[in-house]
Amino acid sequence: MSILILAEHDGNHIKQSTRQAVSAAAAWQLPIHLLVAGSSSESLAKEASGIAGVAKVLHAEAAHFEHPLAEDVAALLVQLGADYKVILSAHTSFSKSVLPRVAALLDVAMVSDVVSITAPATYVRPIYAGNVLSTVESSDAIQVLTIRATSFAAATDGANAEVAKVNVPPSTGLSRWVKEDKTVSDRPELSSARVVVSGGRSLGERFNELLEPLAHRFGGALGATRAAVDAGFAPNDIQVGQTGTIVAPELYFAIGISGAMQHLAGMKDSKIIVAINHDPDAPIFQYADYGLVANLFEAVPELTAALSK
Amino acid sequence: MKVLVAVKHVVDYNIKPRVKQDGSDVDIAGVKMGINPFDEIAVEEAVRMKERGIVTEVVAVTIGKTNSQDTLRHALAMGADRVILVETEAELQPLGVAKLLKAVVEREQPRLIILGKQAIDDDLGQTGQMLAALINAGQGTFASVLEVKGDEIEVTREIDGGTDVVALKLPAVVTTDLRLNEPRFIKLPAMMMAKKKPIENIKAADLGIDIAPRLKQLKVADPEPRKPGIKVANVAELVEKLRLAEVL
Ligand SMILES: Cc1cc2nc3c(=O)[nH]c(=O)nc-3n(C[C@H](O)[C@H](O)[C@H](O)COP(=O)(O)OP(=O)(O)OC[C@H]3O[C@@H](n4cnc5c(N)ncnc54)[C@H](O)[C@@H]3O)c2cc1C
């Protein structure tokens, strides 16, 4: 019996979160197989075969995987999955779409957003916006789960696993990729950045002007509250929280953020939290290692200047 | 075309739930409840499609205990034409819910099924995709824009790092993200009207579907609290602290 991990990539590289899934899978002490589905994806399969802990790479090369659709990837996983004890992936928008579909087709339950694996079929996961941790045991023969990437270290390079081509079922034809609009940025990915600088709606139109230089100083990523996104001050893909991206960087700046529980759900596992807010009673201060009661429009430029010295 | 919207009755999003003394579960006795916010967005979208003349009938369905009726009344007040309660006292998990929804889909034959992308109680985010799998339909998860074009629906999806657009063959399943729309405010007369409308009741047990839970909750616990932090007096002190913490 082995473990099958659905790898995620951007066409050029395997995502960091896949490496974190590989670390999580070590809990079973079973051989780990990594499924790479792509088009012109030789180099991706090669990269995958180098990840420490990977015993074998299943390489699914097909033209229709240039933009992998959930329906098609699920069909591939179902074809391969019956032989595995565990099918897992990181809790990203891609896997969140694919794995529930796979679980239903295999007629098994799925466990989402696992933060810890305490026994071979026992998992800890947050519920109610991270206000409660639930421990669940699965009775199914095939375990299907997504893991919260930030809860696991990333597997490094160091293997030289066999790469095996697999047969790819034809596209289901149920859906069709039309286009995508990805933010091009030279900043690191939000979910894996070492430093995240987040702002709330109070930044208004000056969101980027104030936060970008600070993020730049650290080579960090920008984050935002839902309120900031809803108001159109920040793009939707940088929303941090229960229903956005989960982050746990070494350093998190919460700037003009009240600390609603839906926001806390996405960042309270950060190592060091800095909060800047002019309201001394803002809930965020209960979670901040360092709290500064100040007007952000003065404090942020001052901080950026002080750090640039 | 007919739209089916699946809604769930959940603990209000403003409430911080408490763990029962014995750690067996979350204590929701007497707690304020209401429609799952993502499902409210799903109802809103269906009703708007009807208002624009794209949709002829909006049917809302929930699966749960008798008190889920409140959430169905909410859907009626928003403009749903008909509502169905698939009633069960049993513990529900997404796979079982998806199987029951499949039975409702087979009966109602909707062209489009809209669900929330996740319920804010269990935060699992699986039911829509599972339903799509079981009825062999295309799925558009995390939708922020919907556009029906002939035999297809184009779904703009909020994904890591941006958005993408997929076109699904109808019938299809869509799950909503927060920015799809802003649900209308329900006025009192609409709520009063909704109270008078019938709720169709189906006993889940009569459908003969296996919904036995596959996952067993062993315990629940509060997350480890963060150790208390400090307030710094000014920017200079903040920089000093960060320097000492070696994160600069
Ligand atoms: C179903 C659901 C899901 C949600 N998911 C998320 C999610 O994933 N992520 C998320 O973030 N939110 C989420 N929310 C929204 C959440 O409940 C809050 O509304 C939101 O996080 C608040 O954002 P904010 O802190 O920017 O705004 P506010 O709560 O309005 O806070 C603004 C803060 O700025 C401070 N401030 C104002 N001016 C200044 C100044 N000049 N200097 C310093 N400080 C200043 C104020 O004191 C205040 O504390 C969700 C809500 C729902 C219902």
Side-chain angles (χ1 to χ4, degrees), chain A residues 199-203 224-230 239-245 252 255-266 276-285 292-299, chain B residues 13-14 36-38 41 117-118 120 178:
Chain A
R201 86 170 112 205
S202 46
L203 281 136
T225 64
R226 174 185 169 197
V229 174
D230 275 352
Q239 178 182 313
V240 170
Q242 178 190 17
T243 55
T245 300
Y252 187 88
I255 295 172
I257 290 176
S258 60
M261 73 186 190
Q262 292 86 5
H263 187 77
L264 294 167
I276 302 178
N277 196 305
H278 68 184
D279 173 7
D281 296 323
I284 190 73
F285 285 128
L292 175 61
V293 180
N295 180 349
L296 69 89
F297 293 102
E298 288 155 20
Chain B
Y13 75 93
N14 273 313
N36 178 44
F38 291 100
I41 292 169
K117 77 164 176 179
Q118 76 194 70
I120 60 162
L178 289 169

Side-chain angles (χ1 to χ4, degrees), chain A residues 194 217-218 250-251 253 272 274 289-290 302-309, chain B residues 230 232 234-248:
Chain A
R194 188 186 75 87
R217 156 66 177 78
F218 289 100
E250 255 179 62
L251 180 57
F253 286 94
I272 292 180
V274 173
D289 298 279
Y290 306 114
E302 199 186 324
L303 176 62
T304 308
L307 290 172
S308 310
K309 265 190 245 158
Chain B
I230 56 160
V232 293
N234 49 41
V235 166
E237 191 187 341
L238 175 58
V239 172
E240 182 55 26
K241 293 288 181 211
L242 293 177
R243 189 155 286 143
L244 289 174
E246 296 182 356
V247 285
L248 290 190

Side-chain angles (χ1 to χ4, degrees), chain A residues 5 7-8 13-27 32-34 47-55 88 90 147-161 192:
Chain A
I5 298 180
E8 193 173 344
H13 288 288
I14 304 289
K15 293 234 170 127
Q16 168 93 349
S17 57
T18 296
R19 293 175 178 267
Q20 287 159 309
V22 171
S23 297
I32 297 170
H33 296 180
L34 204 54
E47 184 184 346
S49 69
I51 299 174
V54 174
L88 94 116
I147 57 104
R148 178 175 290 199
T150 55
S151 299
F152 300 90
T156 50
D157 285 335
N160 189 6
S192 56

Side-chain angles (χ1 to χ4, degrees), chain A residues 17-228:
Chain A
S17 57
T18 296
R19 293 175 178 267
Q20 287 159 309
V22 171
S23 297
W28 280 273
Q29 301 189 313
L30 291 171
I32 297 170
H33 296 180
L34 204 54
L35 172 63
V36 177
S39 127
S40 313
S41 49
E42 295 297 332
S43 66
L44 287 167
K46 177 100 187 45
E47 184 184 346
S49 69
I51 299 174
V54 174
K56 185 174 174 183
V57 172
L58 305 186
H59 184 200
E61 166 73 30
H64 67 269
F65 283 150
E66 187 182 349
H67 300 287
L69 291 157
E71 296 82 354
D72 294 341
V73 179
L76 172 65
L77 269 166
V78 168
Q79 176 188 290
L80 299 168
D83 297 335
Y84 286 86
K85 185 174 172 57
V86 181
I87 301 175
L88 94 116
S89 190
H91 196 59
T92 59
S93 55
F94 175 64
S95 301
K96 282 191 252 185
S97 296
V98 174
L99 288 202
R101 196 170 174 105
V102 172
L105 292 171
L106 294 172
D107 194 29
V108 298
M110 173 178 165
V111 187
S112 302
D113 203 16
V114 169
V115 295
S116 146
I117 301 164
T118 53
T122 306
Y123 312 98
V124 181
R125 57 179 303 273
I127 56 175
Y128 289 94
N131 279 302
V132 178
L133 291 176
S134 163
T135 304
V136 293
E137 188 182 39
S138 161
S139 56
D140 282 316
I142 304 176
Q143 308 274 306
V144 177
L145 62 143
T146 54
I147 57 104
R148 178 175 290 199
T150 55
S151 299
F152 300 90
T156 50
D157 285 335
N160 189 6
E162 161 202 2
V163 178
K165 284 254 195 234
V166 295
N167 283 328
V168 178
S171 171
T172 62
L174 294 170
S175 66
R176 181 164 67 74
W177 185 88
V178 179
K179 62 177 176 187
E180 75 182 2
D181 186 5
K182 291 239 173 143
T183 319
V184 257
S185 154
D186 41 19
R187 276 192 294 272
E189 223 182 318
L190 176 59
S191 58
S192 56
R194 188 186 75 87
V195 177
V196 174
V197 177
S198 281
R201 86 170 112 205
S202 46
L203 281 136
E205 300 291 349
R206 298 182 65 192
F207 191 95
N208 282 327
E209 173 206 329
L210 285 169
L211 299 192
E212 268 192 4
L214 186 57
H216 185 75
R217 156 66 177 78
F218 289 100
L222 282 183
T225 64
R226 174 185 169 197

Side-chain angles (χ1 to χ4, degrees), chain B:
Chain B
M1 73 179 196
K2 188 199 277 190
V3 178
L4 183 72
V5 183
V7 294
K8 184 178 183 184
H9 196 56
V10 297
V11 170
D12 185 89
Y13 75 93
N14 273 313
I15 288 167
K16 194 171 169 164
R18 258 199 288 271
V19 165
K20 282 184 188 164
Q21 205 101 63
D22 65 0
S24 62
D25 205 347
V26 173
D27 190 0
I28 60 166
V31 167
K32 185 181 172 207
M33 296 185 72
I35 187 169
N36 178 44
F38 291 100
D39 304 345
E40 189 179 27
I41 292 169
V43 176
E44 177 67 32
E45 194 65 16
V47 171
R48 286 190 194 184
M49 288 169 103
K50 190 179 170 196
E51 288 165 350
R52 275 185 278 149
I54 304 164
V55 160
T56 48
E57 189 182 26
V58 177
V59 181
V61 57
T62 192
I63 292 160
K65 300 187 172 58
T66 330
N67 68 349
S68 303
Q69 289 191 352
D70 295 350
T71 275
L72 290 177
R73 301 246 177 250
H74 188 102
L76 280 170
M78 289 180 73
D81 297 296
R82 273 197 299 127
V83 295
I84 305 168
L85 170 63
V86 180
E87 196 176 341
T88 174
E89 293 293 315
E91 184 193 341
L92 291 166
Q93 291 179 356
L95 185 61
V97 171
K99 288 181 179 179
L100 292 172
L101 287 174
K102 179 186 178 206
V104 176
V105 167
E106 281 165 358
R107 223 187 53 158
E108 293 287 334
Q109 299 285 323
R111 287 282 276 171
L112 180 65
I113 303 128
I114 316 182
L115 307 83
K117 77 164 176 179
Q118 76 194 70
I120 60 162
D121 49 4
D122 61 29
D123 281 334
L124 281 168
Q126 303 172 357
T127 307
Q129 299 88 310
M130 287 184 161
L131 174 62
L134 297 179
I135 63 171
N136 194 30
Q139 60 177 57
T141 43
F142 329 131
S144 62
V145 183
L146 298 184
E147 205 179 334
V148 176
K149 289 186 172 172
D151 284 344
E152 287 185 337
I153 183 165
E154 273 194 13
V155 183
T156 303
R157 304 168 59 237
E158 302 206 342
I159 56 169
D160 300 335
T163 58
D164 71 6
V165 179
V166 293
L168 313 173
K169 271 206 184 116
L170 292 169
V173 175
V174 165
T175 74
T176 63
D177 216 318
L178 289 169
R179 273 164 295 278
L180 182 57
N181 61 52
E182 212 171 302
R184 68 198 57 199
F185 182 77
I186 298 178
K187 300 205 184 78
L188 197 60
M191 203 61 223
M192 301 307 285
M193 288 276 283
K195 288 227 165 78
K196 293 195 196 108
K197 292 204 177 149
I199 292 179
E200 186 181 349
N201 193 302
I202 301 175
K203 300 273 179 259
D206 292 345
L207 294 171
I209 291 166
D210 174 18
I211 56 166
R214 308 291 186 84
L215 303 174
K216 186 167 142 213
Q217 183 163 271
L218 303 180
K219 63 170 186 191
V220 296
D222 291 317
E224 192 121 357
R226 283 186 77 89
K227 58 174 178 23
I230 56 160
K231 289 243 171 80
V232 293
N234 49 41
V235 166
E237 191 187 341
L238 175 58
V239 172
E240 182 55 26
K241 293 288 181 211
L242 293 177
R243 189 155 286 143
L244 289 174
E246 296 182 356
V247 285
L248 290 190

